[in-house]
Amino acid sequence: MNKNKKRRRNFIIIGICIFVVVLILLVGHRKDTGVSLDNTKQLKRKTIEINKYIPGNLYPVKEIEVKSSVSGTLEEYYVTIGDHVKAGDVIAKIRMTPVASQLDNAMKAVNSARIQLEATTRNYQRDSILFVQDLLSEYDFGLVQSEYMLRKEAYISSLNQLALLEGKPTSGNNLLNVVTAPSAGLVSDLPLKEGQSIVERSNYSDGTSIAQIAQIDYFIFKGKVVEEDVLTLKHGMDIKVVPSAIDTISVTATIKKISTLGKLEQGIMKYDIEAIFKVPENLTVYSGFSATAVLTINRKEDVPSLPENCLSFSNDSAYVYKLNGDQWEKTFVMTGISDGIDIEIVNYVSEDDVIKGK
């Protein structure tokens, strides 16, 4: 009985030894062949784009500087930055600071308008009686009546102008010292403080800017492109614009301007471009926002691709290591476009092949 137990124990020991030897041989063989499936890749179909990125800024298509037709000092603003205004809305009020000659001329204008109005009034009253008695035609009475109304309006206007120069309250709807919005938009800037001097707009002066109104429905992307990229652009081409402050949203802009005159900046010739886009309702943009325009140079959809780091390069050739049985086989491939991350594989590798990764 003891002999049988001893024989059985020897058989078990021998079997364990044989198993260990076989296992060592298998592991050694695997190590010799260098096959590891831990980091392998296969072809995947995807869209690959080659893009150029153009930095720039966003500006409203139209920004209007509001100016005064009279000189003086800023008395009061009626709006604040960020307000939406309509055409005709009051922006500010000007306190006029006339010189002595202006006051003298205004007084003379009032006296002249008063004398003319008094003469016209007498004629109007006399002809009114004649017209009632059918002694004056309706046509002739109409001429007298029109003249009387014009003289009356001129007198009231001259009184208002004198009152403005004297700093007194005035009546009327079209006051020179009240600055109104020339168009609808967003008040983007109010550069003055109350009490600052204002120079009127005239043929001899641009005048002082009182406010700036931006029309914010459409914006322009302004950027610069290097000379090797400018030839790829065309008027009417669409580009994608991504505001830096809201990089999760992009808009499609249409190129409207490509400068033909380059500017040398740090040894590189650059060309100005402008692209216009309509601002979507879910996007708030302010003048001067930085943005990036994405220019697609080349694009291929649904092409077989590999991560570019799977490839090795030798001179003008590219190759991968493809699993063939239990060995990695060096396989040359033809490549297409690359976006720097993934690269198109044209042939010599199928979607079923296992490729060695890095």
Side-chain angles (χ1 to χ4, degrees):
M1 180 65 68
N2 290 335
K3 290 183 179 180
N4 291 334
K5 287 183 179 181
K6 187 175 182 180
R7 190 181 296 113
R8 189 180 302 112
R9 185 175 58 198
N10 291 338
F11 283 140
I12 293 173
I13 293 172
I14 293 171
I16 292 174
C17 292
I18 294 173
F19 174 77
V20 170
V21 170
V22 171
L23 183 61
I24 291 173
L25 289 175
L26 288 174
V27 171
H29 177 72
R30 175 69 65 170
K31 186 177 294 186
D32 291 340
T33 59
V35 173
S36 173
L37 302 179
D38 292 340
N39 184 21
T40 58
K41 305 292 182 182
Q42 288 182 288
L43 291 184
K44 290 185 179 180
R45 291 191 168 271
K46 64 172 295 184
T47 297
I48 300 179
E49 292 181 346
I50 299 177
N51 295 318
K52 293 283 187 177
Y53 298 93
I54 306 168
N57 296 89
L58 305 179
Y59 301 96
V61 169
K62 193 172 184 181
E63 289 184 293
I64 301 171
E65 289 190 354
V66 182
K67 300 183 179 183
S68 172
S69 58
V70 296
S71 297
T73 58
L74 178 64
E75 182 173 339
E76 185 180 3
Y77 273 124
Y78 295 101
V79 295
T80 58
I81 294 176
D83 286 351
H84 290 267
V85 295
K86 303 185 296 296
D89 286 352
V90 177
I91 299 293
K93 185 178 181 181
I94 310 302
R95 182 186 297 114
M96 300 175 68
T97 53
V99 296
S101 60
Q102 289 179 309
L103 280 172
D104 185 57
N105 291 334
M107 290 179 182
K108 289 179 180 178
V110 169
N111 289 332
S112 176
R114 178 178 53 78
I115 292 171
Q116 293 177 7
L117 176 61
E118 289 174 352
T120 306
T121 301
R122 288 193 294 270
N123 291 337
Y124 174 70
Q125 291 173 344
R126 183 193 62 231
D127 289 348
S128 295
I129 296 173
L130 295 176
F131 179 69
V132 171
Q133 295 175 353
D134 290 332
L135 297 177
L136 186 68
S137 68
E138 183 177 354
Y139 174 77
D140 291 333
F141 178 68
L143 294 177
V144 175
Q145 188 180 40
S146 297
E147 180 70 14
Y148 167 72
M149 297 299 293
L150 289 173
R151 295 301 178 187
K152 183 178 179 180
E153 186 67 29
Y155 178 63
I156 293 173
S157 177
S158 65
L159 286 176
N160 283 334
Q161 297 312 309
L162 178 59
L164 285 173
L165 293 173
E166 293 176 338
K168 297 177 181 178
T170 60
S171 61
N173 296 324
N174 300 314
L175 303 181
L176 292 177
N177 70 327
V178 174
V179 181
T180 58
S183 66
L186 179 76
V187 178
S188 58
D189 191 23
L190 298 172
L192 302 180
K193 295 181 180 180
E194 294 180 2
Q196 283 191 260
S197 298
I198 293 173
V199 177
E200 66 183 88
R201 181 187 63 247
S202 66
N203 293 332
Y204 308 103
S205 173
D206 290 336
T208 305
S209 177
I210 297 173
Q212 189 162 318
I213 297 177
Q215 296 181 349
I216 58 174
D217 292 339
Y218 286 87
F219 265 69
I220 290 178
F221 169 83
K222 295 183 179 182
K224 299 177 183 291
V225 296
V226 295
E227 54 187 308
E228 57 263 31
D229 293 336
V230 71
L231 294 177
T232 64
L233 302 177
K234 298 185 183 302
H235 286 87
M237 177 185 290
D238 288 339
I239 58 176
K240 185 169 67 174
V241 174
V242 182
S244 300
I246 320 170
D247 56 7
T248 57
I249 298 178
S250 65
V251 294
T252 300
T254 303
I255 295 178
K256 295 297 183 183
K257 174 185 174 181
I258 304 173
S259 176
T260 56
L261 178 62
K263 297 177 182 178
L264 192 63
E265 297 182 6
Q266 298 179 347
I268 301 174
M269 194 64 70
K270 294 185 178 181
Y271 297 81
D272 293 330
I273 68 165
E274 293 182 4
I276 186 173
F277 63 92
K278 181 175 176 60
V279 180
E281 294 182 358
N282 62 336
L283 180 62
T284 300
V285 182
Y286 292 106
S287 179
F289 262 17
S290 60
T292 301
V294 183
L295 174 64
T296 301
I297 303 299
N298 196 359
R299 173 186 172 93
K300 285 188 177 181
E301 297 183 0
D302 194 35
V303 295
S305 66
L306 282 173
E308 191 163 330
N309 60 12
C310 290
L311 278 71
S312 299
F313 297 91
S314 176
N315 297 324
D316 295 333
S317 301
Y319 59 89
V320 297
Y321 286 98
K322 180 173 65 174
L323 185 62
N324 184 9
D326 58 358
Q327 293 184 346
W328 293 114
E329 181 181 79
K330 183 177 180 180
T331 304
F332 286 92
V333 295
M334 291 185 62
T335 59
I337 69 170
S338 169
D339 59 7
I341 299 175
D342 296 298
I343 188 169
E344 178 188 8
I345 304 299
V346 178
N347 54 18
Y348 303 124
V349 174
S350 68
E351 296 184 15
D352 295 329
D353 289 330
V354 177
I355 306 300
K356 185 177 181 180
K358 291 183 180 179

